Amino acid sequence: MTAFSVLWGEVGSNFTTASQARCKLAVNAAYQEWMAAMQWSYREATVAAVPLVAGTAKYTLLGTTPVVQDFDGLISVGLEMNTAGTVEVLTELLQPDFDRICGRSKTNSEPLFYCVRGGTPAATSGTIVSGGQQQLHIAPPPIATADHGQALQISYFRSVGSLDMVADADVPILPAQYHYALIVGGNAYMAEWMKNVQAAGQYRQLFQQRIQEAMVADQGLRGRDANLMVRKTGPQVYGITGQTEPTFDPATRRYERQD
């Protein structure tokens, strides 16, 4: 694994000693840009348990005192029936459907549904957080007792803002084979700061290329690049000519892939 000191040191070797502090900012800027490019597999996380409070149907995700400190985007929510016990998956609803279906769910019971929506507006501009003041709403409100649901199991994407490298021993959460790309990205940011347009463009192009290559690899390793097949149909009459399509014969006309 490549430590932060090695990454910013490699960038710093191209610039004056007076620019070393800015090199750290440049590497972190490249790191943030990389992490924000998509919801990478290594940003996925599962919180062990968010304790339920009897009768409480709203839990803060983004804003003051969130139940998950590094939350960025929700994947799924499960209801843990007992401590370290069975987990029942809750059904996600869009906000209008949640209001329509669960608006009258006032009696404490076993939660069945959830949605994510904005919470209390920020009082001042300094308290506004990226992503808004999001809350997790569940319905019906929980009993919060054993066998009826004691905690929420939340799968989510870690926020980009929680991943900055500070100490020299810190390492990025990128797979090791992509650490070098942060040096390229750091050089791009430094060249832009130095107003070296040509170098900045070259580093920027290479950095974007590395991100695109990593996207393809990450999606492939997650099994999300399954080939789609366009299945042939039986005989059809063409609306314009009135001619009939030749009879489908799987021995001579195979399924076609759509890449």
Side-chain angles (χ1 to χ4, degrees):
M1 302 296 286
T2 310
F4 184 36
S5 59
V6 175
L7 296 173
W8 72 258
E10 287 293 322
V11 176
S13 65
N14 296 323
F15 302 93
T16 63
T17 304
S19 303
Q20 300 302 299
R22 189 174 292 270
C23 291
K24 296 182 179 182
L25 297 176
V27 170
N28 266 323
Y31 186 27
Q32 294 285 345
E33 181 178 341
W34 182 292
M35 296 301 294
M38 67 173 286
Q39 291 177 319
W40 304 93
S41 60
Y42 35 90
R43 281 180 58 196
E44 293 181 7
T46 302
V47 78
V50 174
L52 287 171
V53 179
T56 299
K58 302 176 182 179
Y59 298 83
T60 300
L61 295 173
L62 291 172
T64 307
T65 61
V67 293
V68 179
Q69 295 298 319
D70 58 349
F71 176 83
D72 182 66
L74 199 58
I75 299 175
S76 66
V77 179
L79 179 66
E80 189 174 32
M81 305 306 289
N82 298 286
T83 303
T86 303
V87 176
E88 302 288 344
V89 178
L90 301 187
T91 300
E92 181 182 14
L93 296 177
L94 297 175
Q95 292 181 20
D97 296 330
F98 186 88
D99 292 341
R100 183 171 60 253
I101 296 172
C102 307
R104 298 180 182 274
S105 299
K106 304 299 182 182
T107 304
N108 293 356
S109 183
E110 295 180 5
L112 298 171
F113 309 101
Y114 77 90
C115 79
V116 176
R117 68 190 330 151
T120 305
T124 64
S125 59
T127 58
I128 295 176
V129 296
S130 178
Q133 307 289 111
Q134 291 187 10
Q135 288 185 339
L136 173 66
H137 291 209
I138 59 175
I143 300 175
T145 58
D147 298 322
H148 296 288
Q150 292 182 289
L152 296 175
Q153 288 277 0
I154 300 179
S155 296
Y156 65 99
F157 288 102
R158 300 171 65 186
S159 67
V160 177
S162 68
L163 303 174
D164 263 352
M165 294 177 286
V166 179
D168 281 346
D170 288 348
V171 295
I173 69 166
L174 276 66
Q177 66 266 33
Y178 301 127
H179 289 185
Y180 170 76
L182 297 184
I183 299 174
V184 178
N187 280 323
Y189 277 96
M190 286 299 294
E192 290 170 0
W193 174 63
M194 298 291 291
K195 296 181 174 57
N196 188 334
V197 178
Q198 182 177 1
Q202 292 173 341
Y203 281 123
R204 171 64 55 188
Q205 182 179 7
L206 182 57
F207 185 50
Q208 291 297 327
Q209 180 181 335
R210 293 289 182 267
I211 292 177
Q212 292 299 319
E213 291 170 352
M215 284 181 173
V216 174
D218 194 65
Q219 291 176 332
L221 291 172
R222 298 168 86 176
R224 294 184 177 179
D225 63 338
N227 290 318
L228 299 178
M229 292 193 302
V230 178
R231 298 190 178 275
K232 294 293 185 180
T233 59
Q236 296 180 355
V237 176
Y238 294 144
I240 298 177
T241 64
Q243 307 235 340
T244 303
E245 183 182 21
T247 303
F248 170 58
D249 180 4
T252 59
R253 300 181 60 205
R254 301 184 183 279
Y255 293 134
E256 297 175 355
R257 289 194 321 184
Q258 180 177 330
D259 295 323

